[in-house]
Amino acid sequence: MEQYKLDEYNHQHLKEHQRKFDFVVADVTRLDDVLKKLQAFQIAIPSWALGTGGTRFGRFSGGGEPRSLEEKIEDVGLIHALNRSSNSISLHIPWDIPENSSSIKNLADQFGLHFDAVNSNTFQDQPWQKLSYKYGSLHHVDKAVREQAIEHNVEVIKYGVQLGSKALSIWLSDGSNFPGQLNFRGAFERTLDSLGQIYEELPDDWKVWIEYKPFEPNFYSTTIGDWGQSYLLASKLGNKALTLVDLGHHLQGTNIEQIVSLLLMEGKLAGFHFNDSKYGDDDLTVGSINPYQLFLIFNELVEGMDTRGMNHATGIGWMIDASHNVKDPIEDLLQSVEAIKIAYAQALLVDKAALVQAQWDNDVAKAQEILQSAYRADVRPLIAEARLRAGGALNPIGVFREQKVREGLIKQRGEKTVATGL
């Protein structure tokens, strides 16, 4: 995306933007501080989210999808050029093994990108692996399977070091589908031992992020089934181990904002995989179902990070983890980044002093009004202004469609194909 095209688009819509911006900023205190924080706040794009997602029943791929890691980096570069808020990419190994790490890193540099956490994969069997993960990986009763899974994670760390990453993200599908299938204590102890061996291979300046999930693909038990189990593992492993929160990895009604607050308080919050859900791990567009919950989470994050004196942009990890089944993946990712920054901006507008006073006074109605006043504020002009000052587009999706970017990618990479799944 050439800069002059963004500049032309912005110039055409500048008057309308200025009108909206002037209306909003009249009620914003610390405007410069808010805009600087919005410009600094970046959300990583996962390499696997750049193609059409699917379900176990089928996948209906779109046209112009990236066919290689290089093309995935190009797509993230495009997203970042449009929104100036996505300056990193997260790889999943072995889906995206960099054959030439130096070349891949140089390509990312050309787009102003760096590499976020690298993700291991022991929830699928690969054609070349000797042993199966059908009955688990790091918790498997067979030591040889555990050693294979440990070796894979160490290999992922090595790729990450070559690319300049600083964190290993681990999600395990280990668990059981039926009562009696698994000894819970034994499975947890074996997982801890396996993670400990991986932990010892971490470089001094690295972290390991331990993700949790209550169900799927196992529906009776999951070895790391909730934040408490992840926190327990991270605490036993040491200071380089932290808990990763995926917003979709919670049962309905879970108070995620409370979990976030406590993990942050204990210094054990690694970061987030952002998505949204109606029923379970739906992996829907961020903010598409419950934007108020997202705001409440960010309210706790901003309060907690400020209390600990943390940098909002770099204190913890921020990444999208969604599945774009019926949308253009790039448009969906642009929508998700926008939703995240909306919630963040709204949290920045909360009158913290007044909220604390209302809490101390047990003034429940006042506390609710303070939060909802910030939530109901239209902060989109603030985010657009931050993008404009950073060299991005006032309306990223508007430019994407006006310039017919997807059509160009289809010409370059090929028409869509329809794939079926199990």
Side-chain angles (χ1 to χ4, degrees), residues 373-385:
S373 176
Y375 173 68
R376 290 166 178 158
D378 185 359
V379 297
R380 291 175 297 175
L382 296 177
I383 297 166
E385 178 68 18

Side-chain angles (χ1 to χ4, degrees), residues 363-380:
D363 192 338
V364 182
K366 182 68 177 295
Q368 179 182 334
E369 287 299 310
I370 292 168
L371 281 183
Q372 292 190 343
S373 176
Y375 173 68
R376 290 166 178 158
D378 185 359
V379 297
R380 291 175 297 175

Side-chain angles (χ1 to χ4, degrees), residues 67 79 137 186 244 247 292 386 388 391 400 402:
R67 301 160 297 182
I79 291 170
S137 58
L244 180 65
L247 297 189
Y292 190 52
L388 181 66
F400 182 82
E402 184 178 279

Side-chain angles (χ1 to χ4, degrees), residues 79-108:
I79 291 170
H80 185 53
L82 291 170
N83 66 19
R84 306 309 299 174
S85 298
S86 305
N87 67 359
S88 60
I89 180 171
S90 181
L91 301 189
H92 218 302
I93 309 296
W95 295 345
D96 291 302
I97 294 178
E99 296 181 1
N100 186 324
S101 295
S102 178
S103 175
I104 289 296
K105 190 176 180 182
N106 288 336
L107 178 63

Side-chain angles (χ1 to χ4, degrees), residues 217-406:
N218 290 284
F219 289 88
Y220 176 63
S221 74
T222 307
T223 300
I224 311 178
D226 58 35
W227 74 278
Q229 295 170 63
S230 173
Y231 173 76
L232 181 59
L233 288 168
S235 298
K236 288 179 176 292
L237 288 171
N239 293 331
K240 293 189 290 186
L242 304 164
T243 292
L244 180 65
V245 177
D246 184 308
L247 297 189
H249 290 191
H250 299 86
L251 300 175
Q252 290 191 43
T254 299
N255 192 328
I256 303 174
E257 52 267 37
Q258 185 176 24
I259 295 171
V260 165
S261 175
L262 297 178
L263 286 172
L264 192 55
M265 178 184 72
E266 291 297 305
K268 281 295 186 180
L269 179 61
F272 287 88
H273 282 181
F274 287 108
N275 47 59
D276 211 337
S277 66
K278 177 68 174 177
Y279 300 106
D281 188 21
D282 303 342
D283 272 348
L284 300 177
T285 312
V286 183
S288 61
I289 301 295
N290 195 349
Y292 190 52
Q293 180 189 55
L294 185 63
F295 160 73
L296 293 175
I297 290 170
F298 265 102
N299 178 61
E300 296 298 330
L301 287 169
V302 169
E303 190 274 338
M305 288 189 291
D306 286 347
T307 299
R308 295 175 61 87
M310 296 169 62
N311 185 307
H312 293 187
T314 60
I316 59 178
W318 316 97
M319 194 188 84
I320 294 169
D321 184 10
S323 180
H324 323 298
N325 300 338
V326 294
K327 289 182 185 177
D328 183 299
I330 291 178
E331 290 189 349
D332 193 294
L333 287 164
L334 289 170
Q335 287 180 319
S336 288
V337 172
E338 180 83 352
I340 293 167
K341 299 201 78 168
I342 285 174
Y344 175 53
Q346 290 168 332
L348 292 175
L349 297 186
V350 172
D351 188 337
K352 301 297 192 302
L355 180 60
V356 169
Q357 187 60 54
Q359 291 167 343
W360 278 102
D361 293 341
N362 291 316
D363 192 338
V364 182
K366 182 68 177 295
Q368 179 182 334
E369 287 299 310
I370 292 168
L371 281 183
Q372 292 190 343
S373 176
Y375 173 68
R376 290 166 178 158
D378 185 359
V379 297
R380 291 175 297 175
L382 296 177
I383 297 166
E385 178 68 18
R387 270 197 307 269
L388 181 66
R389 295 187 183 189
L394 284 172
N395 181 352
I397 291 181
V399 178
F400 182 82
R401 291 193 170 193
E402 184 178 279
Q403 294 296 321
K404 301 185 183 301
V405 176
R406 180 55 65 187

Side-chain angles (χ1 to χ4, degrees), residues 24-44:
V24 170
V25 299
D27 296 322
V28 177
T29 59
R30 302 177 294 104
L31 177 62
D32 288 341
D33 180 59
V34 170
L35 290 175
K36 286 178 182 178
K37 286 179 176 176
L38 287 173
Q39 283 182 251
F41 197 80
Q42 302 285 322
I43 300 102

